[in-house]
Protein backbone atom coordinates (compact mmCIF):
# COMPACT_ATOMS: atom_id res chain seq x y z
CA UNK A 1 0.00 0.00 0.00
CA UNK A 2 2.84 2.38 0.86
CA UNK A 3 4.55 1.58 -2.42
CA UNK A 4 1.37 2.42 -4.35
CA UNK A 5 1.10 5.73 -2.50
CA UNK A 6 4.70 6.65 -3.30
CA UNK A 7 4.27 5.71 -6.97
CA UNK A 8 1.09 7.74 -7.34
CA UNK A 9 2.51 10.78 -5.51
CA UNK A 10 5.67 10.67 -7.65
CA UNK A 11 3.55 10.36 -10.80
CA UNK A 12 1.43 13.38 -9.85
CA UNK A 13 4.53 15.48 -9.06
CA UNK A 14 6.25 14.56 -12.34
CA UNK A 15 3.12 15.24 -14.39
CA UNK A 16 2.49 18.53 -12.54
CA UNK A 17 5.99 19.77 -13.37
CA UNK A 18 5.55 18.56 -16.96
CA UNK A 19 2.24 20.44 -17.17
CA UNK A 20 4.08 23.61 -16.14
CA UNK A 21 6.92 23.15 -18.62
CA UNK A 22 5.28 21.59 -21.68
CA UNK A 23 3.10 23.37 -24.19
CA UNK A 24 2.88 24.68 -27.73
CA UNK A 25 5.23 27.56 -26.86
CA UNK A 26 8.93 26.64 -27.12
CA UNK A 27 10.37 27.82 -23.78
CA UNK A 28 13.47 26.85 -21.82
CA UNK A 29 12.41 24.64 -18.86
CA UNK A 30 14.86 26.14 -16.37
CA UNK A 31 14.03 29.72 -17.31
CA UNK A 32 10.33 28.88 -17.09
CA UNK A 33 10.68 27.57 -13.53
CA UNK A 34 12.76 30.59 -12.50
CA UNK A 35 10.18 32.94 -14.01
CA UNK A 36 7.38 31.16 -12.11
CA UNK A 37 9.17 31.04 -8.75
CA UNK A 38 10.40 34.62 -8.85
CA UNK A 39 7.21 35.88 -10.54
CA UNK A 40 9.34 38.03 -12.80
CA UNK A 41 7.55 40.74 -14.74
CA UNK A 42 8.08 39.43 -18.24
CA UNK A 43 6.08 37.70 -20.95
CA UNK A 44 7.41 34.31 -19.80
CA UNK A 45 6.52 35.06 -16.18
CA UNK A 46 3.01 36.07 -17.25
CA UNK A 47 2.58 32.86 -19.25
CA UNK A 48 3.78 30.71 -16.34
CA UNK A 49 1.79 32.36 -13.53
CA UNK A 50 -1.38 33.40 -15.33
CA UNK A 51 -1.82 30.53 -17.82
CA UNK A 52 0.13 27.37 -17.03
CA UNK A 53 0.04 27.38 -13.20
CA UNK A 54 -3.78 27.78 -12.89
CA UNK A 55 -4.29 25.14 -15.56
CA UNK A 56 -2.03 22.64 -13.79
CA UNK A 57 -3.58 23.37 -10.39
CA UNK A 58 -7.10 22.91 -11.75
CA UNK A 59 -6.09 19.63 -13.40
CA UNK A 60 -4.89 18.31 -10.03
CA UNK A 61 -7.91 19.64 -8.13
CA UNK A 62 -10.53 18.44 -10.61
CA UNK A 63 -8.85 15.09 -11.27
CA UNK A 64 -8.55 14.39 -7.54
CA UNK A 65 -12.17 15.46 -6.99
CA UNK A 66 -13.57 13.25 -9.73
CA UNK A 67 -11.46 10.24 -8.71
CA UNK A 68 -12.34 10.62 -5.03
CA UNK A 69 -16.06 11.11 -5.62
CA UNK A 70 -16.16 8.18 -8.05
CA UNK A 71 -14.58 5.86 -5.47
CA UNK A 72 -16.99 7.12 -2.80
CA UNK A 73 -20.06 6.59 -4.98
CA UNK A 74 -18.94 3.11 -6.03
CA UNK A 75 -18.23 2.20 -2.41
CA UNK A 76 -21.54 3.52 -1.13
CA UNK A 77 -23.63 1.94 -3.88
CA UNK A 78 -21.42 -1.19 -3.92
CA UNK A 79 -21.42 -1.02 -7.70
CA UNK A 80 -18.23 -0.64 -9.82
CA UNK A 81 -20.33 0.92 -12.60
CA UNK A 82 -21.38 3.89 -10.43
CA UNK A 83 -20.23 7.35 -11.49
CA UNK A 84 -20.17 10.75 -9.73
CA UNK A 85 -22.60 12.07 -12.34
CA UNK A 86 -25.15 9.45 -11.28
CA UNK A 87 -26.78 11.83 -8.78
CA UNK A 88 -27.39 14.47 -11.45
CA UNK A 89 -24.97 17.14 -10.20
CA UNK A 90 -22.98 17.40 -13.45
CA UNK A 91 -26.11 17.84 -15.56
CA UNK A 92 -27.58 20.38 -13.12
CA UNK A 93 -24.36 22.40 -13.03
CA UNK A 94 -24.20 22.31 -16.82
CA UNK A 95 -27.77 23.60 -17.01
CA UNK A 96 -26.89 26.50 -14.72
CA UNK A 97 -23.92 27.41 -16.90
CA UNK A 98 -25.97 27.10 -20.10
CA UNK A 99 -28.57 29.49 -18.72
CA UNK A 100 -25.81 31.96 -17.81
CA UNK A 101 -24.46 31.87 -21.37
CA UNK A 102 -27.90 32.06 -22.97
CA UNK A 103 -29.13 34.99 -20.84
CA UNK A 104 -25.92 36.95 -21.29
CA UNK A 105 -24.98 36.80 -17.60
CA UNK A 106 -21.68 35.09 -18.46
CA UNK A 107 -20.74 37.96 -20.78
CA UNK A 108 -21.88 40.71 -18.40
CA UNK A 109 -20.20 39.31 -15.28
CA UNK A 110 -16.80 37.56 -15.28
CA UNK A 111 -17.82 34.95 -12.69
CA UNK A 112 -21.41 34.68 -13.90
CA UNK A 113 -20.87 31.32 -15.57
CA UNK A 114 -19.15 29.40 -12.73
CA UNK A 115 -21.44 30.90 -10.08
CA UNK A 116 -24.52 29.93 -12.11
CA UNK A 117 -23.12 26.41 -12.52
CA UNK A 118 -22.60 26.15 -8.76
CA UNK A 119 -26.16 27.35 -8.19
CA UNK A 120 -27.41 24.71 -10.63
CA UNK A 121 -25.45 22.00 -8.80
CA UNK A 122 -26.93 23.13 -5.47
CA UNK A 123 -30.48 23.01 -6.82
CA UNK A 124 -29.81 19.60 -8.35
CA UNK A 125 -28.52 18.00 -5.14
CA UNK A 126 -31.39 19.48 -3.11
CA UNK A 127 -33.86 17.96 -5.58
CA UNK A 128 -32.14 14.57 -5.37
CA UNK A 129 -32.19 14.60 -1.56
CA UNK A 130 -35.84 15.69 -1.54
CA UNK A 131 -36.87 12.97 -4.01
CA UNK A 132 -34.85 10.23 -2.32
CA UNK A 133 -36.15 11.12 1.16
CA UNK A 134 -34.18 11.03 4.42
CA UNK A 135 -34.40 7.24 4.77
CA UNK A 136 -34.58 6.16 1.15
CA UNK A 137 -32.57 3.20 -0.10
CA UNK A 138 -29.58 3.31 -2.45
CA UNK A 139 -31.89 2.36 -5.32
CA UNK A 140 -34.12 5.34 -4.51
CA UNK A 141 -31.08 7.63 -4.56
CA UNK A 142 -30.03 6.29 -7.98
CA UNK A 143 -33.54 6.73 -9.41
CA UNK A 144 -33.76 10.27 -8.02
CA UNK A 145 -30.38 11.09 -9.57
CA UNK A 146 -31.47 9.70 -12.94
CA UNK A 147 -34.66 11.78 -12.85
CA UNK A 148 -32.81 15.01 -12.01
CA UNK A 149 -30.07 14.29 -14.57
CA UNK A 150 -32.61 13.55 -17.30
CA UNK A 151 -34.62 16.67 -16.49
CA UNK A 152 -31.51 18.87 -16.51
CA UNK A 153 -30.34 17.37 -19.81
CA UNK A 154 -33.79 17.91 -21.35
CA UNK A 155 -33.87 21.55 -20.23
CA UNK A 156 -30.35 22.07 -21.59
CA UNK A 157 -31.46 20.68 -24.95
CA UNK A 158 -34.51 22.94 -24.84
CA UNK A 159 -32.32 26.01 -24.28
CA UNK A 160 -30.14 25.02 -27.22
CA UNK A 161 -33.18 24.36 -29.39
CA UNK A 162 -34.79 27.73 -28.65
CA UNK A 163 -31.57 29.77 -28.72
CA UNK A 164 -31.96 32.63 -31.22
CA UNK A 165 -28.24 33.40 -31.05
CA UNK A 166 -26.07 30.92 -32.99
CA UNK A 167 -22.94 32.27 -31.30
CA UNK A 168 -24.36 31.56 -27.83
CA UNK A 169 -25.37 28.05 -28.93
CA UNK A 170 -21.87 27.47 -30.28
CA UNK A 171 -20.33 28.68 -27.01
CA UNK A 172 -22.62 26.40 -25.02
CA UNK A 173 -21.67 23.34 -27.05
CA UNK A 174 -17.94 24.01 -26.76
CA UNK A 175 -18.17 24.74 -23.02
CA UNK A 176 -19.99 21.47 -22.39
CA UNK A 177 -17.12 19.55 -23.98
CA UNK A 178 -14.94 20.42 -20.98
CA UNK A 179 -11.64 22.29 -21.02
CA UNK A 180 -9.00 23.89 -18.77
CA UNK A 181 -7.92 26.42 -21.38
CA UNK A 182 -8.09 30.14 -20.52
CA UNK A 183 -8.63 29.50 -16.81
CA UNK A 184 -7.04 31.79 -14.22
CA UNK A 185 -6.24 31.88 -10.51
CA UNK A 186 -9.70 33.39 -10.02
CA UNK A 187 -11.22 30.06 -11.09
CA UNK A 188 -8.86 28.23 -8.74
CA UNK A 189 -9.93 30.44 -5.84
CA UNK A 190 -13.61 30.01 -6.68
CA UNK A 191 -13.53 26.21 -6.86
CA UNK A 192 -11.10 25.51 -4.00
CA UNK A 193 -13.39 26.20 -0.98
CA UNK A 194 -16.14 23.92 -2.32
CA UNK A 195 -13.62 21.22 -3.20
CA UNK A 196 -11.95 21.35 0.22
CA UNK A 197 -15.35 20.94 1.87
CA UNK A 198 -16.10 17.99 -0.40
CA UNK A 199 -12.68 16.41 0.19
CA UNK A 200 -13.17 16.59 3.95
CA UNK A 201 -16.64 15.02 3.75
CA UNK A 202 -15.61 12.23 1.38
CA UNK A 203 -12.36 11.62 3.22
CA UNK A 204 -14.34 10.85 6.36
CA UNK A 205 -16.54 8.08 4.93
CA UNK A 206 -13.85 5.40 4.62
CA UNK A 207 -14.77 3.48 7.77
CA UNK A 208 -18.47 3.55 6.86
CA UNK A 209 -17.80 2.31 3.33
CA UNK A 210 -15.62 -0.53 4.65
CA UNK A 211 -18.42 -1.57 7.01
CA UNK A 212 -20.99 -1.29 4.24
CA UNK A 213 -19.22 -4.05 2.27
CA UNK A 214 -20.66 -6.47 4.85
CA UNK A 215 -24.21 -5.23 4.19
CA UNK A 216 -26.39 -2.45 5.61
CA UNK A 217 -27.53 -4.48 8.64
CA UNK A 218 -23.95 -5.35 9.57
CA UNK A 219 -22.84 -1.74 9.08
CA UNK A 220 -25.59 -0.48 11.42
CA UNK A 221 -24.62 -3.14 13.97
CA UNK A 222 -21.06 -1.75 13.85
CA UNK A 223 -22.39 1.70 14.77
CA UNK A 224 -22.52 3.28 11.29
CA UNK A 225 -25.32 5.80 10.81
CA UNK A 226 -26.35 5.07 7.23
CA UNK A 227 -28.36 8.29 6.86
CA UNK A 228 -25.37 10.43 7.89
CA UNK A 229 -23.11 8.35 5.64
CA UNK A 230 -25.38 8.94 2.65
CA UNK A 231 -25.55 12.68 3.32
CA UNK A 232 -21.75 12.88 3.53
CA UNK A 233 -21.33 10.99 0.26
CA UNK A 234 -24.01 12.92 -1.64
CA UNK A 235 -23.11 16.40 -0.36
CA UNK A 236 -19.38 15.76 -0.71
CA UNK A 237 -19.82 14.49 -4.26
CA UNK A 238 -22.09 17.42 -5.12
CA UNK A 239 -19.53 19.92 -3.78
CA UNK A 240 -16.54 18.58 -5.71
CA UNK A 241 -18.37 17.68 -8.93
CA UNK A 242 -20.35 20.91 -8.95
CA UNK A 243 -17.21 23.00 -8.46
CA UNK A 244 -15.36 21.00 -11.14
CA UNK A 245 -18.16 21.41 -13.67
CA UNK A 246 -18.48 25.10 -12.81
CA UNK A 247 -14.91 25.96 -13.76
CA UNK A 248 -14.09 23.37 -16.42
CA UNK A 249 -17.32 22.14 -18.01
CA UNK A 250 -18.34 18.49 -18.19
CA UNK A 251 -15.39 16.07 -17.92
CA UNK A 252 -16.55 12.48 -17.83
CA UNK A 253 -15.23 8.97 -17.19
CA UNK A 254 -12.45 9.97 -14.73
CA UNK A 255 -14.54 9.06 -11.68
CA UNK A 256 -15.61 5.81 -13.30
CA UNK A 257 -12.34 4.56 -14.78
CA UNK A 258 -9.73 5.51 -12.15
CA UNK A 259 -11.28 3.55 -9.21
CA UNK A 260 -11.72 0.56 -11.50
CA UNK A 261 -8.02 0.62 -12.49
CA UNK A 262 -6.75 0.98 -8.92
CA UNK A 263 -9.18 -1.34 -7.12
CA UNK A 264 -7.03 -4.51 -7.56
CA UNK A 265 -4.01 -2.73 -6.02
CA UNK A 266 -5.77 -1.85 -2.75
CA UNK A 267 -7.43 -5.19 -2.10
CA UNK A 268 -10.84 -3.76 -3.03
CA UNK A 269 -10.96 -1.86 0.29
CA UNK A 270 -13.18 1.23 -0.21
CA UNK A 271 -11.27 3.32 2.37
CA UNK A 272 -7.93 2.72 0.65
CA UNK A 273 -9.51 3.26 -2.75
CA UNK A 274 -10.57 6.79 -1.76
CA UNK A 275 -7.09 8.31 -1.42
CA UNK A 276 -5.59 6.23 -4.23
CA UNK A 277 -8.36 7.27 -6.63
CA UNK A 278 -7.83 10.93 -5.72
CA UNK A 279 -4.13 10.67 -6.63
CA UNK A 280 -4.90 8.55 -9.70
CA UNK A 281 -7.54 11.00 -10.90
CA UNK A 282 -5.11 13.91 -10.55
CA UNK A 283 -2.48 12.01 -12.54
CA UNK A 284 -4.96 11.01 -15.25
CA UNK A 285 -6.28 14.53 -15.78
CA UNK A 286 -2.79 16.04 -15.78
CA UNK A 287 -1.69 13.52 -18.42
CA UNK A 288 -4.85 14.17 -20.47
CA UNK A 289 -4.38 17.95 -20.33
CA UNK A 290 -0.73 17.66 -21.39
CA UNK A 291 -1.85 15.50 -24.31
CA UNK A 292 -4.50 18.05 -25.30
CA UNK A 293 -1.86 20.80 -25.44
CA UNK A 294 0.67 18.77 -27.43
CA UNK A 295 -1.68 16.96 -29.85
CA UNK A 296 -3.36 19.27 -32.37
CA UNK A 297 -2.69 22.46 -30.34
CA UNK A 298 -4.02 24.65 -33.15
CA UNK A 299 -7.36 22.74 -33.25
CA UNK A 300 -8.22 23.29 -29.54
CA UNK A 301 -8.93 19.64 -28.75
CA UNK A 302 -11.27 19.62 -25.73
CA UNK A 303 -10.25 17.83 -22.54
CA UNK A 304 -13.67 16.25 -22.02
CA UNK A 305 -13.56 14.81 -25.54
CA UNK A 306 -10.19 13.16 -24.90
CA UNK A 307 -11.24 11.66 -21.54
CA UNK A 308 -14.38 10.27 -23.19
CA UNK A 309 -12.33 8.73 -26.03
CA UNK A 310 -10.01 7.08 -23.47
CA UNK A 311 -12.71 6.21 -20.94
CA UNK A 312 -15.37 4.72 -23.20
CA UNK A 313 -13.34 1.60 -24.23
CA UNK A 314 -12.32 1.05 -20.60
CA UNK A 315 -15.96 1.37 -19.58
CA UNK A 316 -16.94 -1.27 -22.15
CA UNK A 317 -14.20 -3.53 -20.79
CA UNK A 318 -15.57 -3.00 -17.28
CA UNK A 319 -19.10 -3.94 -18.39
CA UNK A 320 -17.75 -7.08 -20.09
CA UNK A 321 -15.80 -8.03 -16.96
CA UNK A 322 -18.79 -7.55 -14.65
CA UNK A 323 -20.98 -9.60 -16.99
CA UNK A 324 -18.46 -12.46 -17.01
CA UNK A 325 -18.31 -12.45 -13.20
CA UNK A 326 -22.11 -12.65 -12.95
CA UNK A 327 -22.33 -15.71 -15.23
Amino acid sequence: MRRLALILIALVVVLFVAALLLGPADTDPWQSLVALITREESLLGLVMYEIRLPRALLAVMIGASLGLSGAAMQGYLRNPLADPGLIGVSASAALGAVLAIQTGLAAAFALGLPLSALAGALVGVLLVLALAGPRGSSLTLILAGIVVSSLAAALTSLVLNLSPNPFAANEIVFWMMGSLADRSMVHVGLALPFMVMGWLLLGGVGRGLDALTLGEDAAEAMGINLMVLRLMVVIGTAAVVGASTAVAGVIGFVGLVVPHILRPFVGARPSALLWSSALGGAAMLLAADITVRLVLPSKDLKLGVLTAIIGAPLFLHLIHKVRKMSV
Side-chain angles (χ1 to χ4, degrees), residues 106 134 143 229 250 313:
L143 293 175
L229 177 65
V250 181

Side-chain angles (χ1 to χ4, degrees), residues 189-249:
L190 178 66
L192 188 59
F194 296 95
M195 289 187 176
V196 169
M197 181 184 73
W199 295 339
L200 292 175
L201 287 172
L202 294 176
V205 302
R207 178 174 172 270
L209 296 183
D210 284 345
L212 203 56
T213 58
L214 303 174
E216 293 187 357
D217 293 337
E220 287 186 321
M222 295 171 66
I224 303 299
N225 188 323
L226 295 181
M227 188 169 68
V228 173
L229 177 65
R230 182 174 68 169
L231 282 175
M232 291 177 68
V233 171
V234 172
I235 294 174
T237 298
V240 297
V241 175
S244 300
T245 307
V247 296

Side-chain angles (χ1 to χ4, degrees), residues 23-224:
D26 187 16
T27 58
D28 180 79
W30 178 250
Q31 290 181 355
S32 299
L33 284 178
V34 171
L36 176 63
I37 294 170
T38 61
R39 295 185 64 176
E40 66 178 45
E41 296 182 1
S42 65
L43 180 59
L44 180 58
L46 185 66
V47 168
M48 293 300 296
Y49 188 77
E50 296 293 338
I51 298 177
R52 290 191 179 178
L53 180 60
R55 188 164 181 166
L57 288 173
L58 284 174
V60 172
M61 291 162 53
I62 294 172
S65 296
L66 296 177
L68 176 62
S69 58
M73 287 298 296
Q74 291 178 14
Y76 176 71
L77 298 174
R78 287 164 288 172
N79 186 345
L81 299 179
D83 180 80
L86 195 63
I87 59 173
V89 179
S90 297
S92 301
L95 175 60
V98 165
L99 290 173
I101 295 173
Q102 179 61 30
T103 58
L105 180 62
F109 176 42
L111 294 179
L113 191 150
L115 289 175
S116 297
L118 285 171
L122 176 62
V123 172
V125 73
L126 290 177
L127 278 174
V128 168
L129 290 174
L131 289 172
R135 298 187 179 277
S137 65
S138 300
L139 178 60
T140 307
L141 180 67
I142 294 174
L143 293 175
I146 291 173
V147 168
V148 172
S149 183
S150 300
L151 178 61
L155 291 175
T156 300
S157 300
L158 179 63
V159 172
L160 280 168
N161 182 228
L162 299 179
S163 175
N165 187 347
F167 298 103
N170 189 57
E171 185 180 355
I172 289 170
V173 171
F174 276 100
W175 181 85
M176 291 183 66
M177 292 180 184
S179 176
L180 296 178
D182 304 322
R183 302 308 189 265
S184 67
M185 295 301 291
V186 174
H187 293 90
V188 174
L190 178 66
L192 188 59
F194 296 95
M195 289 187 176
V196 169
M197 181 184 73
W199 295 339
L200 292 175
L201 287 172
L202 294 176
V205 302
R207 178 174 172 270
L209 296 183
D210 284 345
L212 203 56
T213 58
L214 303 174
E216 293 187 357
D217 293 337
E220 287 186 321
M222 295 171 66
I224 303 299

